[in-house]
Amino acid sequence: MVKTIEVELASFVPDDVTIRVEEKAGGSISDCAPGGVSWGSSTIVRVVEQPDFGTVVDALMDGWSRADEFEIDLTETREREQRLVLRSAELGSYHFRRFDDAVQVLSFSTCFAYDEERDGYAWEIFAE
């Protein structure tokens, strides 16, 4: 589910600036609580110019069926760089970051109990 939402979010980068979307097949796990882990991944959207994240928020609110399940936080850093974070206690958190020629959408699952037999080895975890 986390990877699905990550890719859905990447599709809201405006088409007029998007060159291509590059999904990362795998992910990684990290500790998040005693005995728990969180799964993380990312998708890169190559762009001709950086979009205004306010436009992304407007598109999410107008056309994304899951929007009401998230707290959507659009802020600016001291350097006036936009930050966009979506959080859900049930569905995880998602962050939009800017790079020179790309927007990266990062996803982080909620904390869960990792079971090697059920989930596979940590270095073998891929999005399904």
Side-chain angles (χ1 to χ4, degrees):
M1 176 69 80
V2 174
K3 185 65 175 182
T4 300
I5 293 172
E6 171 191 306
V7 175
E8 284 177 14
L9 290 171
S11 74
F12 283 93
V13 173
D15 289 340
D16 62 337
V17 298
T18 297
I19 297 171
R20 71 180 171 278
V21 176
E22 301 170 0
E23 291 180 47
K24 182 178 177 184
S28 60
I29 59 172
S30 58
D31 295 337
C32 59
V37 296
S38 175
W39 186 81
S41 182
S42 65
T43 293
I44 299 288
V45 181
R46 298 286 173 195
V47 294
V48 294
E49 67 183 44
Q50 289 296 330
D52 175 54
F53 285 165
T55 303
V56 174
V57 171
D58 291 345
L60 288 168
M61 298 304 290
D62 289 344
W64 191 40
S65 62
R66 298 180 197 267
D68 62 343
E69 299 176 60
F70 286 86
E71 173 189 324
I72 300 174
D73 189 21
L74 177 61
T75 60
E76 283 189 0
T77 66
R78 281 188 241 171
E79 294 80 27
R80 312 223 19 105
E81 185 68 26
Q82 288 183 317
R83 288 195 178 164
L84 177 55
V85 179
L86 294 88
R87 292 181 189 88
S88 167
E90 294 82 31
L91 300 172
S93 64
Y94 304 84
H95 303 251
F96 282 70
R97 291 193 332 184
R98 291 180 169 159
F99 291 101
D100 293 335
D101 68 339
V103 173
Q104 183 181 35
V105 181
L106 299 129
S107 63
F108 304 94
S109 73
T110 57
C111 197
F112 64 94
Y114 174 70
D115 179 340
E116 196 172 276
E117 288 185 26
R118 178 193 68 207
D119 301 324
Y121 295 106
W123 56 86
E124 296 178 329
I125 296 178
F126 290 92
E128 294 182 1

